[in-house]
């Protein structure tokens, strides 16, 4: 896509609805605020390196800078004027000020301090709002999305950064299902009646649906949305096994999905896993963990973000740490180092006594699996206090803790059988006249 100062407005208009959906997607993403800021910063630097801002000037032509007292004093000195003369000639009071003190805007646009080549004649002394524009290096990107979307129609850098972020976060541009909380409604009925039969596991229907996902973006999104709906509703409808079958469909399709589809599905499943933890739903967490095993290291970044938002006593803590076990020595170096950093921090907290050895055990296992040398002394020190850490320390001498992934057929049979037994017990209780609450009982 050829993005220029002349066509960015038209391109942004075409992306308007998509960008609003992307905003909702980022707000629902399991990425932490810090992770998203880091990704935005890296992406911005990559885009900025190939763009000459001074050759564009769209911000100077269409957006008036806001000046505070310090900006005005610096600019007046540069122009050899008093502040009073500067205000009279160039400035007007800011409309709808949100801060105390004198603040001004330029009277006219384009900025009168541009030369005939659209170059700033006071560049070294330009206002702070000009220096910071388009504010992509500022912290807390996720809380400033509306302003960023508005700037996409003016600034080619913002437009391209947003497009790259859509790709790197796995956003489905065709149809993303995450909406703001107030727009969320639970679906009344399943789209896949063939999965609702209470009889034997419908493997033919499951495998047929899985085979369609890589070629059908809308269908993939529908499956992800339905899984999220089932987790958020927390209602175990009688003899409905969708919460087992749909994650199975995703697991079976994982190997054939594109990189973007795999990342998108992994992020969505991790977000659902966090919700299941919020709701203390052990069954859903186990099912989602099993499904995520099929996605390799694609869910690791999302799990890191979710973990950073949680305390060790959160019900989903261990399940989310389990996702980090999917990082390998072959994982992209920057992601691998991020996992190592998080695990070393947990290990350090265990060593200082601010995190229990049980809560830090997964971190130790991951570090040993990756053969991180700086973790060895800490792990061996903790081995004197914990049999589990003694086993972890043995990994450095050749012992393996790795367990092969559970075959899909095995975990589906197991979880469906558990759910079937529970349904039947509940049915017997209801037949006996006892009231039963199906919400979050497992």
């Amino acid at each position: 896509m050829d993005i220029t100062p002349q066509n960015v407005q038209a391109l942004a208009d075409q992306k308007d609805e998509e960008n609003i959906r992307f905003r909702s997607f980022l707000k629902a993403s399991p990425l932490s605020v810090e992770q998203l800021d880091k990704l935005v910063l890296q992406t911005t630097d990559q885009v900025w390196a190939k763009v000459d801002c001074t050759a564009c000037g769209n911000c100077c032509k269409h957006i008036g800078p806001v000046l505070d007292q310090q900006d005005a004093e610096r600019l007046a000195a540069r122009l050899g004027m008093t502040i009073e003369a500067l205000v009279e000639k160039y400035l007007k009071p800011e409309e709808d000020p949100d801060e105390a003190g004198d603040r001004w805007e330029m009277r006219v646009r384009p900025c009168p301090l541009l030369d005939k080549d659209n170059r700033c004649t006071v560049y070294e002394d330009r206002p702070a709002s000009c220096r910071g524009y388009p504010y992509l290096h500022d912290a807390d990107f996720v809380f400033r999305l509306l302003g960023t979307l508005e700037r996409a129609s003016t600034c080619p850098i913002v437009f391209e950064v947003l497009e790259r972020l859509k790709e790197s976060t796995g956003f489905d541009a065709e149809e993303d299902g995450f909406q703001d909380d107030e727009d969320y409604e639970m679906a009344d009925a399943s789209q896949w009646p063939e999965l609702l039969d209470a009889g034997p596991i419908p493997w033919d229907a499951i495998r047929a649906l899985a085979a369609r996902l890589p070629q059908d973006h809308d269908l993939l999104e529908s499956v992800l949305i339905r899984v999220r709906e089932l987790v958020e509703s927390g209602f175990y409808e009688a003899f409905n096994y969708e919460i087992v079958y749909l994650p199975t469909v995703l697991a079976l399709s994982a190997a054939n999905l594109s990189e973007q589809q795999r990342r998108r599905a992994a992020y969505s499943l991790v977000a659902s896993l966090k919700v299941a933890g919020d709701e203390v739903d052990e069954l859903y967490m186990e099912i989602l963990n099993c499904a995520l095993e099929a996605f390799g290291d694609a869910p690791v970044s999302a799990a890191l973000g979710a973990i950073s938002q949680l305390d060790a006593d959160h019900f989903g803590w261990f399940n989310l740490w389990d996702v980090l076990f999917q990082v390998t020595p072959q994982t992209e170096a920057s992601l691998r180092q991020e996992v190592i950093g998080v695990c070393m921090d947990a290990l350090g907290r265990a060593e200082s006594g601010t995190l229990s050895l049980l809560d830090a055990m997964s971190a130790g296992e991951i570090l040993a699996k990756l053969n991180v040398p700086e973790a060895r002394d800490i792990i061996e020190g903790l081995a004197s206090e914990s049999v589990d850490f003694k086993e972890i320390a043995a990994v450095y001498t050749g012992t393996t803790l790795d367990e092969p992934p559970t075959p899909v057929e095995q975990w589906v049979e197991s979880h469906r059988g558990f759910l079937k037994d529970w349904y039947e017990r509940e049915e017997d209780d209801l037949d006996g006249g006892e009231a039963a609450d199906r919400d979050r009982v497992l």
Side-chain angles (χ1 to χ4, degrees), residues 192 195 203 206 209-210 213 220 222-224 226-228 230-231 240-254 257 265 268-269 272-273 283-295 408 411-412 415 419:
W192 304 281
L195 301 184
W203 281 112
I206 289 172
L209 185 57
L213 293 192
L220 173 61
S222 295
V223 172
L224 293 172
R226 182 59 176 172
V227 170
R228 181 69 171 265
L230 291 167
V231 174
N240 180 352
Y241 298 101
E242 278 187 296
I243 192 55
V244 179
Y245 296 156
L246 290 179
T248 305
V249 168
L250 293 166
L252 291 174
S253 71
L257 296 175
S268 179
L269 287 173
S272 294
L273 176 59
L283 176 65
Y284 281 7
M285 285 191 293
E286 289 181 0
I287 292 170
L288 295 171
N289 259 136
C290 289
L292 282 164
E293 287 184 351
F295 286 82
V408 173
W411 64 258
V412 173
H415 288 107
L419 198 53

Side-chain angles (χ1 to χ4, degrees), residues 237-416:
E237 185 178 347
F239 295 101
N240 180 352
Y241 298 101
E242 278 187 296
I243 192 55
V244 179
Y245 296 156
L246 290 179
T248 305
V249 168
L250 293 166
L252 291 174
S253 71
N256 297 316
L257 296 175
S258 68
E259 182 180 353
Q260 182 176 353
Q261 289 174 319
R262 191 178 303 112
R263 189 186 306 116
R264 170 70 181 104
Y267 275 39
S268 179
L269 287 173
V270 169
S272 294
L273 176 59
K274 180 180 177 296
V275 172
D278 293 339
E279 301 295 340
V280 194
D281 198 320
E282 186 173 358
L283 176 65
Y284 281 7
M285 285 191 293
E286 289 181 0
I287 292 170
L288 295 171
N289 259 136
C290 289
L292 282 164
E293 287 184 351
F295 286 82
D297 60 12
V300 170
S301 181
L304 282 171
I307 288 169
S308 72
Q309 303 171 42
L310 304 179
D311 297 324
D313 59 357
H314 186 274
F315 204 74
W317 175 266
F318 288 107
N319 294 81
L320 288 163
W321 272 94
D322 278 349
V323 177
L324 299 191
F325 279 93
Q326 294 172 218
V327 70
T328 71
Q330 291 73 43
T331 297
E332 181 184 346
S334 61
L335 179 58
R336 189 173 66 251
Q337 285 304 122
E338 190 173 355
V339 172
I340 290 172
V342 170
C343 291
M344 286 296 296
D345 177 68
L347 216 57
R349 290 163 58 200
E351 189 178 34
S352 67
T354 59
L355 186 68
S356 74
L357 294 182
L358 179 62
D359 290 327
M361 193 170 67
S362 294
E365 291 179 357
I366 293 166
L367 291 167
K369 170 189 171 184
L370 295 176
N371 196 29
V372 178
E374 56 266 35
R376 184 170 184 174
D377 287 345
I378 302 176
I379 290 172
E380 290 178 345
L382 295 173
S384 62
E385 306 175 42
S386 165
V387 173
D388 292 320
F389 270 91
K390 189 173 183 178
E391 293 177 356
I392 294 170
V395 174
Y396 283 96
T397 60
T399 303
T400 179
L401 296 175
D402 282 343
E403 296 181 4
T406 306
V408 173
E409 290 78 10
Q410 183 177 327
W411 64 258
V412 173
E413 291 278 0
S414 172
H415 288 107
R416 183 197 179 275

Side-chain angles (χ1 to χ4, degrees), residues 88-291:
E88 182 177 353
K89 184 171 184 179
Y90 294 117
L91 308 179
K92 64 179 181 178
E94 180 189 14
E95 296 180 8
D96 302 320
D98 57 2
E99 296 183 22
D102 293 331
R103 289 164 64 89
W104 301 273
E105 299 176 356
M106 287 292 178
R107 289 185 181 275
V108 297
R109 298 171 190 165
C111 176
L113 299 177
L114 289 177
D115 65 17
K116 60 183 179 61
D117 295 319
N118 288 323
R119 302 279 177 157
C120 179
T121 58
V122 293
Y123 189 78
E124 296 80 5
D125 296 297
R126 66 196 184 281
S129 60
C130 296
R131 294 173 186 274
Y133 190 87
Y135 317 118
L136 293 173
H137 288 95
D138 293 352
D140 299 331
F141 177 80
V142 73
F143 301 118
R144 302 182 291 102
L145 284 167
L146 281 177
T148 301
L149 297 187
E150 290 176 1
R151 286 186 282 276
S153 63
T154 303
C155 179
I157 290 176
V158 174
F159 184 93
E160 185 166 348
V161 165
L162 288 173
E163 293 305 296
R164 292 195 183 195
L165 287 175
K166 291 172 187 177
E167 181 176 350
S168 61
T169 57
F171 173 74
D172 188 339
E174 295 298 320
E175 181 178 357
D176 187 86
F178 284 125
Q179 302 294 325
D180 289 327
D181 290 342
E182 59 267 23
D183 295 331
Y184 173 82
E185 293 182 3
M186 177 67 185
D188 293 329
S190 171
Q191 300 179 47
W192 304 281
E194 65 272 24
L195 301 184
L196 300 180
D197 192 334
I201 298 174
W203 281 112
D204 288 345
I206 289 172
R207 292 191 173 100
L209 185 57
R212 289 170 53 198
L213 293 192
Q215 291 78 41
D216 192 331
H217 295 291
D218 291 345
L219 181 61
L220 173 61
E221 196 62 33
S222 295
V223 172
L224 293 172
I225 292 169
R226 182 59 176 172
V227 170
R228 181 69 171 265
E229 288 174 347
L230 291 167
V231 174
E232 290 187 343
S233 71
F235 187 78
Y236 293 85
E237 185 178 347
F239 295 101
N240 180 352
Y241 298 101
E242 278 187 296
I243 192 55
V244 179
Y245 296 156
L246 290 179
T248 305
V249 168
L250 293 166
L252 291 174
S253 71
N256 297 316
L257 296 175
S258 68
E259 182 180 353
Q260 182 176 353
Q261 289 174 319
R262 191 178 303 112
R263 189 186 306 116
R264 170 70 181 104
Y267 275 39
S268 179
L269 287 173
V270 169
S272 294
L273 176 59
K274 180 180 177 296
V275 172
D278 293 339
E279 301 295 340
V280 194
D281 198 320
E282 186 173 358
L283 176 65
Y284 281 7
M285 285 191 293
E286 289 181 0
I287 292 170
L288 295 171
N289 259 136
C290 289

